[in-house]
Amino acid sequence: MTTPAGDELAVGDEIEVVVGPVAHGGHCVARHDGRVVFVRHTIPGERVVVRITEGGPGDRFVRGDAVEVLEASEHRVPRRCPVSGPGGCGGCDLQHVSTEHQRTLKAQVVVEQLRRLGGVEREVVVEALADADGLGYRTRVEVAVGREGGGTPFVGLRKHRSHDLVPVTGCPIAHPRVDEGIAAAAQEAAEGGLEDAVAVDVVAASGEEDVALVEVGPQGRAQRITLTERVATPTGEREMSVDARGFWQVHADAPRAFVAAVLDAADVRPGERVLDLYSGVGLLSLPLAEATGPDGQLLAVESDPLALDHLAENLAEQRHAVVVPGRVDDLLGVPRQGRRRGQRGGRAPARSQLLPPSADVVVLDPPRTGA
Ligand SMILES: C[S@@+](CC[C@H](N)C(=O)[O-])C[C@H]1O[C@@H](n2cnc3c(N)ncnc32)[C@H](O)[C@@H]1O
């Protein structure tokens, strides 16, 4: 069988490559005959057989899966999840990599992004949180509900860049309580339940004894359930309320770590004026408000209706904290992402008077699409 030329690569072709650096997106970069191939389930330095899964002649690059490892990296380990790997669940990219080396690869991705997008040269160390082995940390998992041949329901996780589902009864990166919740959802589906659901959100909040299972119907319809989260801050434990389907940091130890890191970096002094943009339910707003004290001011900006009531409740005791509902881009009077000023449908409103012209500290924690 002849090897296709780089510009002729198409889905199903198999080629042998030596894999280059890791890239943003959970894959590594390789080249075949000058053509860029993004390869999943491999490690820099490995020689692998790649099966092309996406792209073809005319595309800038193609995507593929390492389906055979010819020369393995010393960092390769047996996958710790039975449904990860080529053709499997799209949730985890690095289950075949030792936990320590996963952190090295993640640091390399951050270094590269800072350099490429920000022109910043910076050494990055990814530190371990409470999950020393990289498993059992997710306090939130949404499983989708599928129907086998249109009939019996089952719960599953999505394949990479696909709507297809891999059936699951648990998930090794889920917190043990969430793992049990996924098993319970799978059982319910097998017994003919979850008839009207398209997904189930499984949530283990730190302030709740029971795991919450929220059935999600078509158009995202779901019951609103308020949960309590407990967060260790440098000045003591705080309780916050959050909707079971609202945003909360998914890693069990991330709230504590992010609060500590933000307070350390922002170094807020009493009396300062602080803006917390994309505030969610106020994980960062509350400790920032405590740091400014009553002589300062904290403005928390958030657009999600699921978060806003909880944000107000979580900041209720901070009389100098103000909730500003709305989109950050609209309030600042900048066109929404991807549209230029004056473009049809993209006209930016005037800058809102609700935001002050300046602040001493601005914290922003936008969603993945960016600020
Ligand atoms: C990554 S979360 C961070 C929340 C909070 N800092 C935390 O750690 O819990 C981003 C938040 O931004 C909100 N959001 C998304 N787009 C927004 C926008 N254009 N303007 C304001 N808030 C937005 C989301 O609803 C979400 O609560």
Side-chain angles (χ1 to χ4, degrees), residues 246-249 255 258 276-285 301-305 307 324 326-331 336 363-370:
F247 181 89
W248 186 257
Q249 301 290 345
F258 285 177
D276 182 17
L277 306 181
Y278 309 92
S279 67
V281 297
L283 170 66
L284 305 174
S285 323
V301 182
E302 169 61 43
S303 61
D304 181 5
V324 181
R327 289 178 57 111
V328 170
D329 34 10
D330 289 352
L331 290 161
R336 291 192 181 180
V363 173
L364 63 162
D365 182 13
R368 287 184 212 185
T369 43

Side-chain angles (χ1 to χ4, degrees), residues 81-112:
C81 172
V83 298
S84 72
C89 170
C92 288
D93 305 313
L94 302 174
Q95 286 299 338
H96 58 286
V97 186
S98 72
T99 309
E100 200 186 332
H101 197 60
Q102 287 184 26
R103 296 190 182 113
T104 304
L105 296 180
K106 288 173 185 179
Q108 288 171 5
V109 170
V110 178
V111 166
E112 174 56 18

Side-chain angles (χ1 to χ4, degrees), residues 314-339:
N314 294 334
L315 292 175
E317 285 178 17
Q318 309 297 317
R319 297 294 156 118
H320 57 294
V322 178
V323 171
V324 181
R327 289 178 57 111
V328 170
D329 34 10
D330 289 352
L331 290 161
L332 285 174
V334 297
R336 291 192 181 180
Q337 211 176 39
R339 293 167 177 169

Side-chain angles (χ1 to χ4, degrees), residues 211-228:
V211 67
L213 269 67
V214 189
E215 286 185 34
V216 185
Q219 279 89 48
R221 277 195 302 276
Q223 198 188 349
R224 287 188 71 159
I225 298 176
T226 298
L227 301 175
T228 301

Side-chain angles (χ1 to χ4, degrees), residues 180-312:
E180 283 172 22
I182 296 172
Q187 178 77 25
E188 196 177 338
E191 289 168 0
L194 303 179
E195 264 178 4
D196 303 321
V198 297
V200 180
D201 277 9
V202 187
V203 184
S206 55
E208 305 285 340
E209 259 177 42
D210 295 329
V211 67
L213 269 67
V214 189
E215 286 185 34
V216 185
Q219 279 89 48
R221 277 195 302 276
Q223 198 188 349
R224 287 188 71 159
I225 298 176
T226 298
L227 301 175
T228 301
E229 291 282 358
R230 290 207 186 101
V231 187
T233 79
T235 52
E237 189 177 85
R238 300 286 178 271
E239 281 197 350
M240 296 191 199
S241 73
V242 59
D243 189 275
R245 299 197 68 226
F247 181 89
W248 186 257
Q249 301 290 345
V250 289
H251 191 296
D253 199 27
R256 176 203 61 77
F258 285 177
V259 167
V262 169
L263 288 180
D264 186 42
D267 193 20
V268 173
R269 311 280 162 85
E272 286 190 325
R273 294 163 311 140
V274 179
L275 277 176
D276 182 17
L277 306 181
Y278 309 92
S279 67
V281 297
L283 170 66
L284 305 174
S285 323
L286 176 57
L288 287 167
E290 290 180 339
T292 71
D295 295 335
Q297 192 187 44
L298 181 285
L299 255 67
V301 182
E302 169 61 43
S303 61
D304 181 5
L306 274 186
L308 282 165
D309 289 348
H310 297 295
L311 176 60

Side-chain angles (χ1 to χ4, degrees), residues 6 24 48 68 83 96 115 138 140 153 268 291 314-315 346 349:
H24 166 65
V48 298
E68 192 182 341
V83 298
H96 58 286
R115 180 182 297 143
R138 273 194 85 102
R140 281 140 171 86
V268 173
N314 294 334
L315 292 175

